[in-house]
Amino acid sequence: MDLVRHLGYFLVVTEELHFGNAAARLGMAQPPLSQRIRRLEEELGMRLFERSSRRVALTEAGRLLVPEAREIVARVERMRDLMADLARGDTAVVRAGVPADLGAPVLAALIAGFRDRRPDVRLSPAEMGTAAQVAALLEGRLDVGLLRHPVAADGLAYGPVLVRHPGVLLAEDDELTAWATVHLGDLAGRELVLFPRDAEPGLYDDTLASCRRGGFVPAAITCTDRAEFALGLVLSGTAVAFGAPAETPGVVWRPLAGTPLAWRWLPAWRAEPGPYVRDFTAVAVRVLKESAGMVDEGAPPTPRVAPRPATGFLA
Amino acid sequence: MSPGVDPLERVFRNAGVTGWLHAVDVDGGREVGLRAAEPVVLASVFKLPLLLELHRQAERGLLDLAGLVRVPAEGRTRGGTGLAAMLDDATLSLRDLAYLMMTVSDNAAADVLLARVGREAVNTLLDGLGLTETRVVHDCRDMLTSLWEDAGVADQAALMQACADPEVVARLRALRPERSNRSTPREMTRLLAMIWRDEAAGAASCAAVRRLMALQVWPHRLASGFPFDDVAVSGKTGTLPTLRNEVGVVEYPDGGRYAVAVFTRSLSTAQNQPRADAAIGAAARIAIDQLRTHI
């Protein structure tokens, strides 16, 4: 018997839990479908479904088979796709999601690094926020992504977490540029330009919570994922931004005292990694460390309040 | 003010004071100074070496920090805070007297403790630590008495009024380092650094000193320059007519520790000068920022 094809039938029945509906989806009549499921049960020596006149339910063995069958079917499909690409003379492609604010030099280093490691495979990067990457990864439109922490999505597996501590970008005539290091509390009353919450829901909330804890409640927040637009607001003195040092004349970067903000990145892929994902992850981790100043995630520092008698409780 | 002026000088001038400052990285040794080796009047900052000697004597078994002391209302050194301002007899331990002396600069508590440890013992400790410019020449009572004599008044209330007059202030011997409890900004930061590095006494004693300095209540001087929850500020103030001082240690969330000593003298004899108080914190932050520039 063609085990892979039979597993495919099995998966459709598990999704429909109705032989008639499953047969309709597969474009076949119900009796041959029922017969093939029985042959699969005979082949594996286990009953996979409890059948009654009204309903179909998975047995314990059937439940255990589902993830195994999914993986086998997906792998065989990918293998066929890969062979088909080669047969047509196409180059294999890795579709990778990258954050909008990765920056041109880092993106270039990422593509060059992957080309060096896998000259036979083309890297196809797509600029996407974390929310869009999660959806695309789950739907199979991306093979691998670079996500911003925190993110939680069932069905994804994650690579090593890297961290970078952003500083603050100020207009050069801002009085705060007099300081070598700036405290979050120094920014009080200023406006902030930040990536959109739609694109980075976890990190957006995380960043603003850290700002509030540090004494910085932005007077207004402008959201953009366009670095040039953000720098324009900084240059004009309208808002401050968080990030890495910018080369733009007129914009001054200062580190934040005590590194109160931690921006984390992590590679992610579907639970069954596609080909070349490991290659991409290895290259991405190296490039982000070498070109983007990121480091391995250590134990995150616990924010600490230093008590003072005059500002304590009931003082 | 011209941009070429030292930013520390600019802060002091804008607040109407002359400033003396020294700041040092407790662990790295880098330093920033302004007239840092000149003698300055300690005022109540002398309570810091006194506290240290108290703990050193306890280490040697000469006194029991938990031992109770009766402090009658009658004959207590007066002042605006703590037992010096309270009305009734009190009994409390040596270490709780130290708490009042350090956290609210209680003059009565300080004089009880100085009488217990001995003024010369404090100076001997300072010699042993190599702080030879730092001297304790009188207790709070003698200092106040000299102020009354110089101002030609008979009590503290009259002194308060008289010290609004610049000519009276100019006569006060207690405001001249050579006639008063004195040090230099540099020696004060050396003392603080030794306390923070557990070198000025045993580790437990140094920790007890640091605890009391962190419990000081005043927010208007050194602490005002660091309005950040994740920055710890410990200090001891000193105040006399036209003089506003604070020495302390500022600890950053990244582990950086900086000892700072700031001494100011104002041209104005007004007692309420929040800008002069805040200049101490502003100057300290500038100095510490300079220490951190190359991190």
Side-chain angles (χ1 to χ4, degrees):
Chain A
M1 72 181 286
D2 181 344
L3 182 60
V4 176
R5 175 171 295 179
H6 281 72
L7 287 174
Y9 296 142
F10 164 74
L11 287 173
V12 174
V13 177
T14 63
E15 283 160 20
E16 299 292 335
L17 289 178
H18 188 287
F19 278 88
N21 293 351
R25 221 175 97 183
L26 289 163
M28 63 199 294
Q30 185 177 335
L33 177 61
S34 298
Q35 186 187 351
R36 282 167 196 188
I37 293 298
R38 265 195 299 278
R39 282 181 56 194
L40 180 65
E41 289 178 325
E42 285 161 17
E43 171 79 17
L44 298 174
M46 297 294 286
R47 278 180 68 76
L48 301 173
F49 294 101
E50 305 283 1
R51 301 169 184 78
S52 70
S53 56
R54 298 206 152 264
R55 51 191 289 277
V56 177
L58 276 166
T59 62
E60 182 60 27
R63 267 193 293 278
L64 286 173
L65 183 62
V66 169
E68 302 296 324
R70 272 204 191 121
E71 187 165 344
I72 289 167
V73 169
R75 275 176 180 266
V76 169
E77 272 173 13
R78 264 200 303 278
M79 183 192 74
R80 290 213 168 97
D81 289 349
L82 196 60
M83 294 302 112
D85 286 347
L86 284 175
R88 279 198 304 273
D90 293 353
T91 317
V93 173
V94 174
R95 300 159 302 171
V98 292
D101 58 351
L102 198 59
V106 180
L107 181 61
L110 191 60
I111 295 171
F114 190 80
R115 193 185 293 141
D116 284 350
R117 189 178 176 111
R118 295 304 306 238
D120 55 324
V121 179
R122 190 167 66 83
L123 178 65
S124 167
E127 181 198 301
M128 281 188 212
T130 294
Q133 287 195 46
V134 167
L137 285 167
L138 290 174
E139 290 166 17
R141 288 182 284 116
L142 279 182
D143 298 308
V144 63
L146 269 180
L147 306 184
R148 316 280 299 263
H149 190 76
V151 60
D154 288 342
L156 293 187
Y158 302 99
V161 179
L162 299 174
V163 67
R164 181 162 72 182
H165 298 286
V168 62
L169 294 160
L170 303 160
E172 66 182 353
D173 57 357
D174 192 309
E175 61 185 17
L176 290 179
T177 59
W179 299 118
T181 53
V182 171
H183 295 257
L184 274 181
D186 290 329
L187 302 174
R190 273 164 227 265
E191 297 189 11
L192 176 67
V193 55
L194 192 63
F195 41 76
R197 187 171 192 277
D198 289 348
E200 307 290 346
L203 188 63
Y204 182 97
D205 291 349
D206 218 40
T207 300
L208 287 188
S210 297
C211 285
R212 281 197 295 276
R213 185 183 295 125
F216 174 37
V217 179
I221 300 173
T222 305
C223 288
T224 179
D225 48 14
R226 299 275 138 211
E228 286 295 308
F229 183 77
L231 283 174
L233 294 188
V234 173
L235 262 177
S236 66
T238 309
V240 300
F242 296 127
E247 301 298 326
T248 313
V251 172
V252 173
W253 182 86
R254 289 286 179 266
L256 287 166
T259 57
L261 301 181
W263 284 358
R264 299 178 178 83
W265 277 257
L266 71 176
W269 51 86
R270 256 165 307 165
E272 317 94 45
Y276 318 130
V277 160
R278 264 173 237 291
D279 291 320
F280 175 84
T281 299
V283 169
V285 167
R286 179 175 59 76
V287 166
L288 290 177
K289 284 181 180 175
E290 288 174 2
S291 305
M294 295 188 195
V295 295
D296 287 318
E297 160 88 303
T302 315
R304 189 180 67 97
V305 176
R308 298 185 189 181
T311 48
F313 297 103
L314 301 177
Chain B
M1 200 83 52
S2 83
V5 175
D6 179 291
L8 291 169
E9 286 281 25
R10 189 157 56 226
V11 165
F12 289 131
R13 281 192 208 174
N14 287 346
V17 303
T18 307
W20 292 258
L21 177 148
H22 192 250
V24 64
D25 184 335
V26 168
D27 304 295
R30 214 171 27 237
E31 57 182 325
V32 170
L34 181 68
R35 295 181 277 276
E38 292 182 13
V40 290
V41 171
L42 286 173
S44 287
V45 175
F46 91 89
K47 292 163 185 170
L48 174 58
L50 164 55
L51 174 69
L52 188 61
E53 176 58 17
L54 179 77
H55 279 277
R56 300 255 306 205
Q57 292 193 7
E59 285 177 354
R60 299 203 298 275
L62 298 178
L63 49 80
D64 173 13
L65 289 171
L68 294 179
V69 183
R70 187 173 143 76
V71 190
E74 183 72 29
R76 258 185 340 226
T77 304
R78 306 314 300 180
T81 58
L83 291 171
M86 292 179 179
L87 300 177
D88 298 312
D89 296 349
T91 298
L92 64 175
S93 67
L94 286 174
R95 60 186 177 189
D96 283 348
L97 283 167
Y99 163 82
L100 289 173
M101 169 178 81
M102 294 303 289
T103 60
V104 295
S105 208
D106 184 337
N107 290 337
D111 280 2
V112 169
L113 294 174
L114 189 58
R116 175 62 70 96
V117 305
R119 195 169 53 78
E120 275 319 306
V122 179
N123 287 326
T124 303
L125 162 70
L126 290 165
D127 286 336
L129 295 174
L131 306 174
T132 53
E133 304 287 318
T134 307
R135 287 299 99 171
V136 176
V137 302
H138 47 213
D139 64 7
C140 297
R141 181 192 304 278
D142 287 350
M143 183 164 57
L144 290 170
T145 305
S146 87
L147 290 170
W148 297 353
E149 286 170 9
D150 296 343
V153 299
D155 60 32
Q156 192 62 25
L159 179 69
M160 201 79 91
Q161 304 310 314
C163 285
D165 181 348
E167 287 188 19
V168 171
V169 170
R171 291 203 299 268
L172 302 176
R173 284 168 292 162
L175 305 191
R176 295 208 286 273
E178 67 276 15
R179 304 296 296 274
S180 200
N181 293 341
R182 61 182 169 268
S183 183
T184 66
R186 181 169 276 129
E187 287 206 349
M188 278 296 105
T189 58
R190 275 180 58 196
L191 176 62
L192 291 165
M194 284 188 278
I195 292 169
W196 255 254
R197 291 194 305 252
D198 287 344
E199 295 167 6
S205 296
C206 287
V209 173
R210 293 195 294 267
R211 169 181 173 265
L212 290 185
M213 291 184 75
L215 287 173
Q216 181 182 234
V217 298
W218 318 126
H220 59 320
R221 290 190 184 161
L222 185 56
S224 73
F226 306 90
F228 314 116
D229 280 0
D230 52 2
V231 175
V233 181
S234 309
K236 181 69 199 82
T237 57
T239 312
L240 278 172
T242 69
L243 303 188
R244 289 168 183 79
N245 308 330
E246 186 159 358
V247 308
V249 170
V250 179
E251 296 171 81
Y252 272 56
D254 57 15
R257 311 187 289 176
Y258 311 94
V260 199
V262 189
F263 296 83
T264 71
R265 180 159 192 172
S266 66
L267 298 168
S268 160
T269 55
Q271 295 201 11
N272 288 288
Q273 295 191 56
R275 279 153 49 82
D277 291 313
I280 290 173
R285 183 170 176 202
I286 289 172
I288 289 174
D289 190 68
Q290 290 177 3
L291 294 178
R292 289 172 59 84
T293 297
H294 303 294
I295 287 177

